[in-house]
Amino acid sequence: MKTQFLLPALLIGGVLGLSACSSQPQQVALSPSVEVNDQAQHSIIAAIKSQDLRSNRFLISIHQEGEEQAELISSSSNLRQSIEQQLAAAWQQQGIGFVPDSPNLITIDILELANKVEESSVKHAASSTMRLKVTIDTPHKTLTKQFRSTHTNEGAFSVNVTKQSEAMSSQLSELLTQIANDPQLIEVLEYQL
């Protein structure tokens, strides 16, 4: 009869022991990359700027079941600069040149970029949401367009923060690739009276 209670007690003790020993990093790095449509070549000059408009600057929040405080993990690099540089490099490959005083202005706003993890003793569920807004201002036209991506995943026991940051990097890469190859944005930049 004692062995009947021994196995569940060992399992619970092992899970608690593992979760007590695991220390999460306080910062992670996202490393997005952009795939460019090389066929499209343009001769456009523009200026570029970006803003981080998120109300919370952390990337991952881990909420333990029964705990009030969440564990917050931030980015170890400047996400705003990274996103701007990735998009600028992708657009340059398509023939867009960047000069600070151009009448054509591309503004990139980070509206949301966060991963919320709900964690219990036996499983975790993660939900990642990313929203970027791109505005093209020219002397003749203005276009504002929002790009959004959501991703969810579940797993056993505690969340692996490294794997979550890798999944977020992949998700951000897809979103930036979508923006860099969006034909409407280029169309507005090319429009002339």
Side-chain angles (χ1 to χ4, degrees):
M1 205 154 131
K2 288 182 182 178
T3 58
Q4 183 178 23
F5 296 107
L6 185 58
L7 186 57
L10 284 172
L11 281 173
I12 292 172
V15 168
L16 292 175
L18 282 174
S19 65
C21 292
S22 68
S23 67
Q24 303 283 13
Q26 296 305 305
Q27 292 187 328
V28 293
L30 295 189
S31 51
S33 60
V34 181
E35 291 182 32
V36 181
N37 178 359
D38 286 333
Q39 294 173 344
Q41 284 298 316
H42 313 280
S43 276
I44 302 168
I45 300 295
I48 189 168
K49 73 173 189 172
S50 58
Q51 306 172 97
D52 192 341
L53 303 177
R54 296 176 295 159
S55 55
N56 298 313
R57 298 295 170 102
F58 56 83
L59 282 180
I60 302 172
S61 61
I62 301 172
H63 304 264
Q64 297 280 344
E65 188 176 54
E67 297 283 326
E68 281 187 43
Q69 295 285 329
E71 181 180 353
L72 304 177
I73 299 168
S74 61
S75 174
S76 60
S77 61
N78 186 325
L79 274 176
R80 180 197 60 76
Q81 276 184 339
S82 176
I83 289 170
E84 180 181 320
Q85 288 168 355
Q86 289 287 331
L87 286 173
W91 283 322
Q92 282 174 328
Q93 287 181 32
Q94 296 178 36
I96 299 176
F98 290 102
V99 293
D101 56 351
S102 172
N104 302 317
L105 175 64
I106 302 172
T107 305
I108 305 155
D109 294 329
I110 304 172
L111 304 177
E112 193 174 358
L113 208 156
N115 187 319
K116 183 178 180 181
V117 180
E118 297 288 345
E119 203 172 67
S120 70
S121 58
V122 293
K123 69 173 186 171
H124 69 272
S127 174
S128 176
T129 304
M130 299 179 181
R131 268 189 320 128
L132 300 178
K133 181 175 76 173
V134 179
T135 303
I136 308 287
D137 277 313
T138 73
H140 312 293
K141 272 189 165 182
T142 298
L143 172 70
T144 299
K145 198 166 180 180
Q146 277 198 33
F147 298 84
R148 186 172 198 265
S149 171
T150 57
H151 179 74
T152 59
N153 64 53
E154 292 183 354
F157 304 115
S158 296
V159 66
N160 182 322
V161 173
T162 303
K163 285 186 179 176
Q164 287 300 314
S165 68
E166 288 168 2
M168 288 182 77
S169 289
S170 176
Q171 181 184 359
L172 185 55
S173 294
E174 288 174 17
L175 191 63
L176 295 181
T177 296
Q178 181 186 349
I179 293 169
N181 295 302
D182 186 279
Q184 269 188 305
L185 300 178
I186 303 299
E187 198 176 288
V188 171
L189 282 170
E190 285 187 318
Y191 177 80
Q192 301 294 325
L193 281 180

